[in-house]
Amino acid sequence: MMDIEFVRSRFIKHFDGKTGNVYASPGRINLIGEHTDYNGGFVFPGAVDKGIMAEMRANGTEDTVMAYAIDLKDRVDFHLDDPAGPRASWARYIYGIAKEMQKLGVPVKGFNIAFAGDVPLGAGMSSSAAMESCFACGLNDIFGENKVSQWDMVLAGQATEHNYCGVNCGIMDQFASVFGKAGCLMRLDCRSREFEYFPFKPDGYRLVLLDSVVKHELAGSPYNDRRNSCENVVKHIAAKHPEGKFETLRDCTWEQLEEVRAEVGEEDYKRAHFVLGEKDRVLAVCDALIAGDYETVGQKMYETHEGLSKEYEVSCEELDFLNDIAKENGVTGSRIMGGGFGGCTINLVRADLYSKFIADAKQKFAAKYGHEPKVYDVVIGDGSRKLC
Ligand code: GLA
């Protein structure tokens, strides 16, 4: 995590010399369960030790927000009652979360904010959810007497994506950022919102991310198309079975998917086929983790990669290449992580194979694409919190 003094020095310099409160929220990894959240399925994320840190302070105005993005060296001021909001994409997260917290009854007024991050942008580690939950945590504390529940902050973050940023995302990233706990993964049932913490200490294995550094932009991307395909399949299944209740693909069986195959077309069929398989894989991984059977966990990760690449079609050449290198090196499990369209692979690798795998991946990737992938060892950290 970043240094509080670094953020504080910028806050003091860019505003009126006074200090505020400092809040932090993490990015996330996800062991398995991809594109299942908006389909009512299960996910298996954990918060990481990298994220966003913000210093914030009420500035005494009715609705003027003065915001400074330390990493971008960019200052934007805007009014909360301006219906259009700011144009800079980073400032829209601040505007959006403030509006959503107001909807929850928090009397948000003008404030100053400076923030910085060490969660890599575009790596599929949810820097945007880290921003939303960090700002929500700060506004709840400064203006809301901390009355807004953790779940409502999660939903406010998701609503910010939907209403102000153009990404029709599920609930996983904001959930992981708010509820994360050091050393634990979490299995979340996205339909009932029940979850459990799973201490994750795979003896003799390591979790490592390889970042292709290929840009990953979900807004206006095929992410929303994937979601539409899934919803279309559910609509067709529901129409065939008026007696049933079909809200998401979670409610649908393999047989029902086959029944509508011809009418929904091959593309939507493939998308839904992946989601049904992924739902089963998350549950299989839970059983395997309880049994300490990491080889099965890894096998399921490879199956997920295959599905994300061939059926859900959210991979890219660089990520498939990294996956192949993992296989060649005897890595236990490897797959694309997050929404896709670039970003990272997550790799479960035996400790004795780690160094050779990383060296080989760097060398082969650089030979083909002209730059090395970035390597992030996963450290599972805590969720949103006030630092001082
Ligand atoms: C993005 C979204 C999440 C989830 C993942 C894919 O990270 O924000 O809600 O859908 O993609 O699992």
Side-chain angles (χ1 to χ4, degrees), residues 202-220:
D203 249 0
Y205 293 84
R206 292 174 70 164
L207 262 189
V208 60
L209 308 182
L210 291 186
D211 184 357
S212 63
V213 205
V214 174
K215 187 120 174 77
H216 152 117
E217 196 64 73
L218 295 188

Side-chain angles (χ1 to χ4, degrees), residues 9 59 86 111 177 182 221 227 243 266 282 292 303 337 345 357 373:
S9 65
N59 62 20
F111 59 95
S177 185
S221 82
R227 184 168 184 161
E243 74 292 352
E266 258 331 84
V282 183
E303 287 173 21
M337 190 185 74
T345 59
F357 165 52

